Amino acid sequence: MAKKPELDDYRVPYFDGKKIKPFDLASIDTASKPFSSGAKDADRERLSELSTALDGLQEKLHAQRAHRILLILQGMDTSGKDGTVRGVFRDVDPLGLRVVPFKAPSETEAAHDFLWRVHSQVPAAGEFAIFNRSQYEDVLVPRVLQQIDSQGWQRRYRQIRDFEAMLAENGTTIVKCFLHISKDEQKVRLQARIDNPEKHWKFDPSDLDARKLWDDYRLAYEDALGATSTDIAPWYVIPADSKTHRNVMVAELMVRILQGLKLEYPPAKESLKGIKVE
Amino acid sequence: MAKKPELDDYRVPYFDGKKIKPFDLASIDTASKPFSSGAKDADRERLSELSTALDGLQEKLHAQRAHRILLILQGMDTSGKDGTVRGVFRDVDPLGLRVVPFKAPSETEAAHDFLWRVHSQVPAAGEFAIFNRSQYEDVLVPRVLQQIDSQGWQRRYRQIRDFEAMLAENGTTIVKCFLHISKDEQKVRLQARIDNPEKHWKFDPSDLDARKLWDDYRLAYEDALGATSTDIAPWYVIPADSKTHRNVMVAELMVRILQGLKLEYPPAKESLKGIKVE
C-alpha cells in the first residue's frame, strides 16, 4: 500500500546556512493531487470543513491576541493566488483576515529599501494576514530582468531570511506557499482570459512577456525557494493545476499549523462572575 | 393595505446647512423589522441572495476601478457592527473587502487631527472599505466625556461634512449606517457575554460605564446624525434588535446603492482579439 502523503513531503528542505541548493521543481508533478480523495464532491466537502475549522481557529487567534499569522502566496501568473484566498478562506470572518496585494512598487515604495512596504503590512498580535505576492517579487523580477546580479540577489535572500527571523522571534508564524502550475496549464488559463471579453480586465499584456521568460522565472524560483526555506519560515510547494486540490492542500496546511499553536480563548475573568447588567 | 417600506424612509433628513435638527431616534422602533418577510427562513434565503449579488457587484467594482465605496458602521456597544460585516458580506471575495476597525486612538493618532488616521484608510479606486467605527467616535466620545464643548463638536461636524464632501467629489460613494438597538437589547447581549466564559474576551468592563451614559450617547448620536446626514453621505437608521433583519436591511441598502452606480466590466480590449497564447 502506498504511503499516505504528508504535508512535510512538500516542504522545501531548509537552507543549511552555507550553500544554496536550488529546489528542483520538476520533482513535484504540477498535476498531481496528493491531498485529493479522488472524488471532486468529497474534496469540496472536505474544503468546506477545513474552511469552517479555519474560521473557529481565527476567532481564537483574535481573542487570544498572542500570535500573528502571515501566509505568503507566490506563483507564476494565473497560478491561482486570488483563487486560493477566496477558496480557502471563504468561511472565515472578513473581520479576521487582512489580504495585502503587492503590485509593482510605486515611486515612493521604490525609493525605499525593498522590505519597507512589506514591513508596514505585517500582522499585529491576533491578526491573520495574507500577502498576495510579497518581498519575493524583489528577488525574482529584478533578477530575471537582469537589474541585479548574483551578489545582489544573494544579499536579498539573506536580508529576507534575517527579516523573517526577526518577525518570527517577535511572535509571527510564517508560512510560504508556492503555487506550482505547468507551463501548459498557464497557457490554458491565459487563453481563457483572452477568449472571454468579461475577463479582459484581468489580462495584462505583460503576462505574455513574462510567459516568454518562463524558464528564467522557474530558475529564479528554484533558487529562491532553496535559499529562503527555513524552520521559522518554510516554503511549501503546492501542486496547483487542479484548483480544488490546491485549495484543499493549502487549507489542510493552514489548519495544521494553526492547530499546532494551541490557540485558546483567554481565561475567563473571575471579576465578571455574578455581574448582572443593570 | 399598508405602504411597502422604502429604504429612504429610514434615511436621516439632510442637514440644511443652517440649523442642526437632531434626529429623533424614538421615531424608529428598534424591534421593528420593516424589511423582513415575516419568516426567518425566507429572510435568510434573501440574505444569501443579496450577499451573492454583492459579490458580483464587487467584482465589477474592482474590474472597473472607477468608483470607491465606503460603508461606515456606527452604533452603541453590542449593536452588531462585527456581525453585520460577517452576515452581509459573507459571500463577497475576501480580496474585495477591506474592513478597518477604529479603536481608541493610539498616542500617535491622538497627536494628529482626528481625521488623520481615517484619511489614511479611505478606499482607493475599485476598493470597497468598511469602517467599523469611524471619525464619528470623535464627536461622540469626547462630547459625552465632556472633553469638548458645543462649539468644539459643531466644528467637528463641519469638518466631517467637508471631509466627506471632498471624498465624494473625488469618486467615493459614502453610506453610513446607525445600528439601532434598545437599551434592553443591549442588556441581554452584554449579559450573554458575561455569562459565557468563552465570550469574556469580547467583554470590556468599560462597556458597563458607557452603558451608564446611554442617554448621553443617544443624545450625542441624535445630534450627530442630524448634523452630518447629507446627500453625498447619508445616514440610515437600521432597526437592529433582530440580527437577521439588520443584515437583510443593510444588504438591501448596499445592493441598491451599488446597482445605482451602473458598474460595468471595462470594455473588451480589441487588441486582444484573436491572440493565441504560445
Side-chain angles (χ1 to χ4, degrees), chain A residues 55 86 191 211 277-278, chain B residues 55 86 191 211 277-278:
Chain A
D55 181 43
R86 174 159 204 159
Q191 192 67 56
R211 180 170 168 79
V277 179
E278 298 300 324
Chain B
D55 181 43
R86 173 158 206 160
Q191 192 67 56
R211 180 170 167 80
V277 179
E278 299 298 327

Side-chain angles (χ1 to χ4, degrees), chain A residues 275 277-278, chain B residues 77-78 183-196 202-204 207-208 211:
Chain A
I275 284 186
V277 179
E278 298 300 324
Chain B
D77 293 328
T78 77
K183 196 174 175 188
D184 283 348
E185 179 66 22
Q186 188 190 58
K187 181 175 174 174
V188 171
R189 295 184 186 183
L190 284 174
Q191 192 67 56
R193 290 184 185 176
I194 290 173
D195 292 347
N196 179 352
K202 278 194 180 180
F203 185 84
D204 183 342
D207 291 352
L208 292 178
R211 180 170 167 80

Side-chain angles (χ1 to χ4, degrees), chain B residues 2-265:
Chain B
K3 178 173 160 289
K4 200 164 162 262
E6 304 272 358
L7 287 162
D8 288 348
D9 299 338
Y10 294 83
R11 200 183 59 209
V12 175
Y14 298 150
F15 174 62
D16 67 4
K18 293 172 207 133
K19 195 173 151 33
I20 297 168
K21 277 177 64 179
F23 181 77
D24 178 16
L25 283 170
S27 68
I28 294 183
D29 181 358
T30 58
S32 65
K33 304 184 199 179
F35 295 88
S36 168
S37 67
K40 193 157 249 185
D41 280 355
D43 286 352
R44 289 194 175 139
E45 186 72 26
R46 177 73 185 144
L47 182 58
S48 182
E49 284 169 22
L50 290 165
S51 192
T52 302
L54 283 172
D55 181 43
L57 289 160
Q58 183 278 322
E59 188 177 271
K60 286 187 183 173
L61 173 78
H62 174 66
Q64 193 175 26
R65 295 177 75 87
H67 298 277
R68 300 134 206 244
I69 310 293
L70 175 58
L71 169 62
I72 292 179
L73 297 176
Q74 286 283 161
M76 302 284 202
D77 293 328
T78 77
S79 62
K81 298 177 287 293
D82 290 4
T84 300
V85 174
R86 173 158 206 160
V88 174
F89 299 97
R90 61 183 183 182
D91 289 335
V92 177
D93 192 339
L95 283 165
L97 274 188
R98 193 155 53 78
V99 186
V100 188
F102 289 99
K103 313 271 179 197
S106 71
E107 203 175 330
T108 306
E109 288 170 346
H112 292 81
D113 68 85
F114 76 105
L115 294 170
W116 177 76
R117 64 175 184 159
V118 175
H119 203 163
S120 74
Q121 298 286 354
V122 299
E127 270 198 337
F128 191 136
I130 302 175
F131 284 1
N132 186 339
R133 304 185 187 270
S134 64
Q135 60 269 27
Y136 287 96
E137 292 297 309
D138 293 296
V139 287
L140 296 162
V141 180
R143 171 178 171 158
V144 169
L145 301 184
Q146 303 182 10
Q147 294 159 346
I148 53 175
D149 62 9
S150 164
Q151 209 183 352
W153 69 68
Q154 294 203 40
R155 188 167 60 199
R156 289 193 177 189
Y157 294 152
R158 175 177 49 72
Q159 291 167 340
I160 288 177
R161 286 193 305 264
D162 291 346
F163 173 66
E164 292 178 350
M166 180 277 293
L167 294 180
E169 284 156 7
N170 288 283
T172 306
T173 300
I174 305 170
V175 188
K176 302 181 292 199
C177 290
F178 174 74
L179 307 182
H180 187 31
I181 59 167
S182 70
K183 196 174 175 188
D184 283 348
E185 179 66 22
Q186 188 190 58
K187 181 175 174 174
V188 171
R189 295 184 186 183
L190 284 174
Q191 192 67 56
R193 290 184 185 176
I194 290 173
D195 292 347
N196 179 352
E198 281 211 344
K199 302 266 179 184
H200 279 186
W201 64 275
K202 278 194 180 180
F203 185 84
D204 183 342
S206 73
D207 291 352
L208 292 178
D209 300 332
R211 180 170 167 80
K212 292 196 187 107
L213 299 167
W214 176 278
D215 293 340
D216 296 337
Y217 273 107
R218 178 144 166 159
L219 275 177
Y221 261 118
E222 291 189 327
D223 208 37
L225 295 174
T228 59
S229 190
T230 60
D231 58 343
I232 52 85
W235 274 109
Y236 292 84
V237 175
I238 313 289
D241 280 357
S242 155
K243 294 172 186 176
T244 305
H245 172 267
R246 172 198 76 206
N247 289 350
V248 169
M249 184 170 168
V250 173
E252 294 276 8
L253 178 64
M254 293 315 297
V255 166
R256 192 189 60 169
I257 285 168
L258 287 168
Q259 283 178 340
L261 293 177
K262 313 269 180 237
L263 301 167
E264 292 295 345
Y265 288 104

Side-chain angles (χ1 to χ4, degrees), chain A residues 76-77 144-146 183 186-187 190 203-219, chain B residues 275-278:
Chain A
M76 302 284 201
D77 294 327
V144 169
L145 301 184
Q146 303 183 7
K183 196 174 175 189
Q186 188 190 56
K187 180 176 175 175
L190 284 174
F203 185 84
D204 183 341
S206 73
D207 290 353
L208 293 179
D209 299 332
R211 180 170 168 79
K212 291 195 188 110
L213 299 167
W214 177 277
D215 292 340
D216 296 338
Y217 273 107
R218 178 144 166 160
L219 274 177
Chain B
I275 285 185
K276 288 288 161 213
V277 179
E278 299 298 327

